Amino acid sequence: MQVATDLLNRLELRSRATGESLDDLVNHLLRLGLATQQDKRALYVSAPVNALIEGIYQEDTRISDILEHGDFGLGTFNDLDGEMVVLEGQVHQLRADGQAYPVAADAKTPYACVNFFTPDSDEVIEQSLDFTELTHLLERMIPSDNMIYAVRIDGDFERIKTRSVPRQDSYRPLVEVAREQPEFEYRDIRGTMTGYWTPSFMEALTVPGYHLHFLSEDRQRGGHLLGCQTRQIRIAIQHLPRLEVGLPVSLDYLTATFTRDLSADLEEAEQDRA
Ligand SMILES: [Zn+2]
């Protein structure tokens, strides 16, 4: 009550000082508050995915910078040293042996997508789904293909298939690296998928459609998701109305040309070839 009275007194003082009516002042403040909340509902992409596809595997974006933009997401690490899962504010590095390693705050990434995860919907799916069925279900769950959605799937899986990109010492386009990527199959595993739906027209910036990474419940194993058979899962989805893209300032990025059509490379590098 004291707070409310104080607030009213301060609003009246402000109203007298500015000549704005109390109604207008409250409306204005509410709008400001909503705008601040909206700012948190953005997908942050640290660099265009095209740069990664063209083999630019080193940027100066620190993990600590990534965490300022979100507590949830995915990505990779400098020199393409494994797959990244960001879950509940913790960053996990799934190296080419499929195992998780701790990540230093000053580690760097050439590509990461994050947001602050607060789901709009949450649904339990009891029926067993393979990866194609899961993506079809997810496509039915989103209201429009032209928006961005963060997706978190927790559950019990009969089978999970992942890959982890191996660390690179020299330049090679991602599609060549992906041809030799170590793949892993896990049976009877619990864990979490983190990732996004992004529209096809954003394909220079993000991996279009669904892009999901997996981390086991014991936080020990995982990678870029290639396949699955679910048992029981919980799907949480958050609509993201804004996109923020970082443009690197490294020499490699500034002097690269991005005129080549990368859609075939992108598809081969990110999807299961089996
Ligand atoms: Zn990935």
Side-chain angles (χ1 to χ4, degrees), residues 74-75 83-84 111 163 207 211-213 223-225 270:
L74 52 71
E83 309 282 343
M84 181 192 294
Y111 180 74
R163 72 108 195 268
V207 176
H211 182 195
L212 297 164
H213 285 189
H224 173 99
L225 188 73
E270 298 299 333

mmCIF file of all heavy atoms in Angstrom, residues 74-75 83-84 111 163 207 211-213 223-225 270, ligand 1:
data_model
loop_
_atom_site.group_PDB
_atom_site.id
_atom_site.type_symbol
_atom_site.label_atom_id
_atom_site.label_comp_id
_atom_site.label_asym_id
_atom_site.label_seq_id
_atom_site.Cartn_x
_atom_site.Cartn_y
_atom_site.Cartn_z
ATOM 1 N N LEU A 74 21.957 -22.883 -29.466
ATOM 2 C CA LEU A 74 22.900 -23.832 -30.076
ATOM 3 C C LEU A 74 23.947 -23.070 -30.870
ATOM 4 O O LEU A 74 23.847 -21.858 -31.058
ATOM 5 C CB LEU A 74 22.150 -24.824 -30.971
ATOM 6 C CG LEU A 74 21.185 -24.279 -32.036
ATOM 7 C CD1 LEU A 74 21.892 -23.608 -33.186
ATOM 8 C CD2 LEU A 74 20.325 -25.414 -32.579
ATOM 9 N N GLY A 75 24.950 -23.831 -31.347
ATOM 10 C CA GLY A 75 25.991 -23.202 -32.146
ATOM 11 C C GLY A 75 27.174 -24.129 -32.289
ATOM 12 O O GLY A 75 27.047 -25.344 -32.147
ATOM 13 N N GLU A 83 29.979 -29.239 -31.285
ATOM 14 C CA GLU A 83 28.639 -28.638 -31.335
ATOM 15 C C GLU A 83 28.346 -27.980 -29.983
ATOM 16 O O GLU A 83 28.781 -28.468 -28.943
ATOM 17 C CB GLU A 83 27.592 -29.726 -31.607
ATOM 18 C CG GLU A 83 27.908 -30.616 -32.801
ATOM 19 C CD GLU A 83 27.609 -29.964 -34.145
ATOM 20 O OE1 GLU A 83 26.869 -28.957 -34.179
ATOM 21 O OE2 GLU A 83 28.112 -30.469 -35.165
ATOM 22 N N MET A 84 27.583 -26.884 -30.015
ATOM 23 C CA MET A 84 27.243 -26.161 -28.789
ATOM 24 C C MET A 84 25.771 -26.388 -28.431
ATOM 25 O O MET A 84 24.898 -26.327 -29.302
ATOM 26 C CB MET A 84 27.475 -24.662 -28.993
ATOM 27 C CG MET A 84 27.162 -23.810 -27.761
ATOM 28 S SD MET A 84 27.100 -22.014 -28.139
ATOM 29 C CE MET A 84 28.793 -21.688 -28.579
ATOM 30 N N TYR A 111 29.724 -19.051 -34.655
ATOM 31 C CA TYR A 111 28.291 -19.083 -34.961
ATOM 32 C C TYR A 111 27.521 -19.636 -33.765
ATOM 33 O O TYR A 111 27.778 -20.757 -33.317
ATOM 34 C CB TYR A 111 28.019 -19.975 -36.185
ATOM 35 C CG TYR A 111 26.548 -20.053 -36.557
ATOM 36 C CD1 TYR A 111 25.910 -18.978 -37.168
ATOM 37 C CD2 TYR A 111 25.791 -21.187 -36.273
ATOM 38 C CE1 TYR A 111 24.554 -19.043 -37.496
ATOM 39 C CE2 TYR A 111 24.438 -21.263 -36.598
ATOM 40 C CZ TYR A 111 23.833 -20.176 -37.208
ATOM 41 O OH TYR A 111 22.496 -20.228 -37.531
ATOM 42 N N ARG A 163 25.586 -35.903 -34.690
ATOM 43 C CA ARG A 163 26.944 -35.785 -35.218
ATOM 44 C C ARG A 163 27.621 -34.633 -34.463
ATOM 45 O O ARG A 163 26.955 -33.759 -33.911
ATOM 46 C CB ARG A 163 26.925 -35.474 -36.720
ATOM 47 C CG ARG A 163 26.464 -34.045 -37.045
ATOM 48 C CD ARG A 163 27.607 -33.167 -37.516
ATOM 49 N NE ARG A 163 27.247 -31.757 -37.472
ATOM 50 C CZ ARG A 163 26.725 -31.076 -38.491
ATOM 51 N NH1 ARG A 163 26.458 -31.660 -39.626
ATOM 52 N NH2 ARG A 163 26.483 -29.793 -38.357
ATOM 53 N N VAL A 207 20.287 -21.689 -40.132
ATOM 54 C CA VAL A 207 19.928 -22.933 -40.816
ATOM 55 C C VAL A 207 18.407 -22.951 -40.935
ATOM 56 O O VAL A 207 17.717 -22.965 -39.916
ATOM 57 C CB VAL A 207 20.418 -24.154 -40.011
ATOM 58 C CG1 VAL A 207 19.967 -25.448 -40.663
ATOM 59 C CG2 VAL A 207 21.933 -24.119 -39.849
ATOM 60 N N HIS A 211 16.360 -26.695 -36.736
ATOM 61 C CA HIS A 211 17.757 -26.973 -36.421
ATOM 62 C C HIS A 211 17.806 -27.271 -34.933
ATOM 63 O O HIS A 211 17.495 -26.399 -34.121
ATOM 64 C CB HIS A 211 18.612 -25.744 -36.778
ATOM 65 C CG HIS A 211 20.075 -25.938 -36.531
ATOM 66 N ND1 HIS A 211 20.958 -24.886 -36.488
ATOM 67 C CD2 HIS A 211 20.813 -27.051 -36.322
ATOM 68 C CE1 HIS A 211 22.181 -25.358 -36.268
ATOM 69 N NE2 HIS A 211 22.120 -26.667 -36.143
ATOM 70 N N LEU A 212 18.139 -28.524 -34.596
ATOM 71 C CA LEU A 212 18.100 -28.956 -33.197
ATOM 72 C C LEU A 212 19.414 -29.615 -32.794
ATOM 73 O O LEU A 212 20.016 -30.344 -33.586
ATOM 74 C CB LEU A 212 16.957 -29.973 -32.996
ATOM 75 C CG LEU A 212 15.527 -29.476 -33.241
ATOM 76 C CD1 LEU A 212 14.572 -30.645 -33.388
ATOM 77 C CD2 LEU A 212 15.073 -28.547 -32.117
ATOM 78 N N HIS A 213 19.837 -29.357 -31.579
ATOM 79 C CA HIS A 213 20.964 -30.060 -30.983
ATOM 80 C C HIS A 213 20.445 -30.865 -29.799
ATOM 81 O O HIS A 213 19.368 -30.579 -29.267
ATOM 82 C CB HIS A 213 22.050 -29.077 -30.536
ATOM 83 C CG HIS A 213 22.844 -28.511 -31.678
ATOM 84 N ND1 HIS A 213 23.976 -27.757 -31.514
ATOM 85 C CD2 HIS A 213 22.658 -28.609 -33.027
ATOM 86 C CE1 HIS A 213 24.458 -27.420 -32.704
ATOM 87 N NE2 HIS A 213 23.673 -27.915 -33.641
ATOM 88 N N GLY A 223 25.077 -33.709 -29.457
ATOM 89 C CA GLY A 223 25.586 -33.133 -30.701
ATOM 90 C C GLY A 223 24.454 -32.569 -31.542
ATOM 91 O O GLY A 223 23.335 -32.388 -31.060
ATOM 92 N N HIS A 224 24.766 -32.330 -32.824
ATOM 93 C CA HIS A 224 23.773 -31.851 -33.803
ATOM 94 C C HIS A 224 22.832 -33.020 -34.112
ATOM 95 O O HIS A 224 23.289 -34.104 -34.478
ATOM 96 C CB HIS A 224 24.530 -31.388 -35.050
ATOM 97 C CG HIS A 224 23.672 -31.011 -36.214
ATOM 98 N ND1 HIS A 224 23.367 -29.701 -36.511
ATOM 99 C CD2 HIS A 224 23.082 -31.775 -37.163
ATOM 100 C CE1 HIS A 224 22.613 -29.682 -37.609
ATOM 101 N NE2 HIS A 224 22.420 -30.920 -38.019
ATOM 102 N N LEU A 225 21.540 -32.796 -33.960
ATOM 103 C CA LEU A 225 20.569 -33.890 -34.086
ATOM 104 C C LEU A 225 20.354 -34.273 -35.556
ATOM 105 O O LEU A 225 20.036 -33.429 -36.390
ATOM 106 C CB LEU A 225 19.242 -33.462 -33.471
ATOM 107 C CG LEU A 225 18.202 -34.590 -33.378
ATOM 108 C CD1 LEU A 225 18.573 -35.572 -32.285
ATOM 109 C CD2 LEU A 225 16.818 -34.030 -33.130
ATOM 110 N N GLU A 270 23.908 -30.000 -42.970
ATOM 111 C CA GLU A 270 23.117 -29.973 -41.748
ATOM 112 C C GLU A 270 22.148 -31.124 -41.594
ATOM 113 O O GLU A 270 21.545 -31.291 -40.548
ATOM 114 C CB GLU A 270 22.352 -28.644 -41.648
ATOM 115 C CG GLU A 270 23.235 -27.414 -41.584
ATOM 116 C CD GLU A 270 24.154 -27.406 -40.372
ATOM 117 O OE1 GLU A 270 23.811 -28.026 -39.350
ATOM 118 O OE2 GLU A 270 25.229 -26.808 -40.453
HETATM 119 ZN ZN ZN B 1 23.776 -27.859 -35.718
#
